Amino acid sequence: MGYWCTNLLTIVSILLLFPVINGWGIDGHLTVCRIAQSRLSKAAADAVKQLLPEYAGNDLGSVCSWADKVRFRYQWSAPLHFINTPDVCNYKYTRDCEDDNGEKGKCVAGAINNYTTQLLTYNSGSSQADNNLTEALLFLSHFMGDIHQPLHVGFASDKGGNTIDVHWYRRKEVLHHIWDADIIETAEERLYNSNVDDLIDAVQKNITNDWADLIPRWETCSLNKTACPDIYASEGIKASCDWAYKGATEGTVLEDDYFLSRLPIVKLRLAQGGVRLAATLNRIFQ
């Protein structure tokens, strides 16, 4: 009996922790990857198909949350999901991209650079024994989503909103989780027939119509780089300060005013994440 109780407590503890450690929730990551896969060049689409595990059925979205699922097994990957700034509304790679032990490059921006570099060895003719390119693809796809979730580039003092207790309508939540999942889930329930595909379609229509003129700028990478995570992170901390943290202090009740004004930001960041993931993969697999 004691064995089962101990294991039950372990499972419960993991479940309680799980919402806090995610990037976007499952539907957010699914949205980013579905948008990205729809925008791949033929060469990139072929490479992604070859690299995806067979069980994915050539659906990048179905494995876009893999990096969260292996986080307990790959404990070294935990700091790669986020960036903490010293409570300032700006980001600097040399100052902010490090883990709790001060090891440089251990943040989501560094991870995007690393896995982009690994994937550039695809079809290079060099030995790939040291790099699992399937895992590199799954990590890159996930982290491109994470870096576009505003509170994944947040303040060190509150761990990206993870220690700010608020209420989402009547339910107690931490602020970080509201941006991971609650805004998306509330939008699905109220606006999209509780259907993530309808949400994805709505974001895709915004990309095609309202944001069409912005797409070339989103896709562009400075200095001919393959990926530009520093740009995405700088946008992220600005969005955190302007939208996520604003009006969301300890104990605040967040309702329609917050939801309706922040949903466009969430949809924008999902769109940017998907467009930029596609652009990065298209540059990698030319």
Side-chain angles (χ1 to χ4, degrees), residues 82-99:
F82 60 88
I83 296 166
N84 285 331
T85 74
D87 293 19
V88 293
C89 295
N90 62 74
Y91 157 80
K92 296 179 181 178
Y93 185 89
T94 55
R95 182 192 66 198
D96 304 329
C97 191
E98 61 183 29
D99 63 14

Side-chain angles (χ1 to χ4, degrees), residues 20-37:
V20 176
I21 64 169
N22 276 344
W24 295 113
I26 291 174
D27 284 358
H29 281 292
L30 176 69
T31 300
V32 169
C33 282
R34 286 271 170 85
I35 290 169
Q37 194 163 18

Side-chain angles (χ1 to χ4, degrees), residues 18 25 56 63 131 148 156 169 241 247 281:
F18 196 71
V63 288
N131 294 330
H148 282 86
Y169 296 89
C241 289
L281 293 174

Side-chain angles (χ1 to χ4, degrees), residues 230-267:
D230 290 344
I231 292 174
Y232 319 149
S234 294
E235 294 171 349
I237 187 61
K238 187 176 188 305
S240 287
C241 289
D242 291 349
W243 297 102
Y245 286 125
K246 193 172 182 179
T249 54
E250 181 78 17
T252 306
V253 178
L254 304 177
E255 297 183 301
D256 282 352
D257 287 349
Y258 193 92
F259 166 64
L260 293 171
S261 59
R262 273 56 175 185
L263 178 59
I265 306 305
V266 168
K267 291 169 70 176

Side-chain angles (χ1 to χ4, degrees), residues 113 116 120 219-232 279-280 283-284 286:
N113 286 330
T116 297
L120 284 168
E219 292 176 323
T220 300
C221 225
S222 59
L223 304 176
N224 293 318
K225 292 181 180 178
T226 306
C228 287
D230 290 344
I231 292 174
Y232 319 149
T280 301
R283 285 190 287 266
I284 290 171
Q286 295 184 50

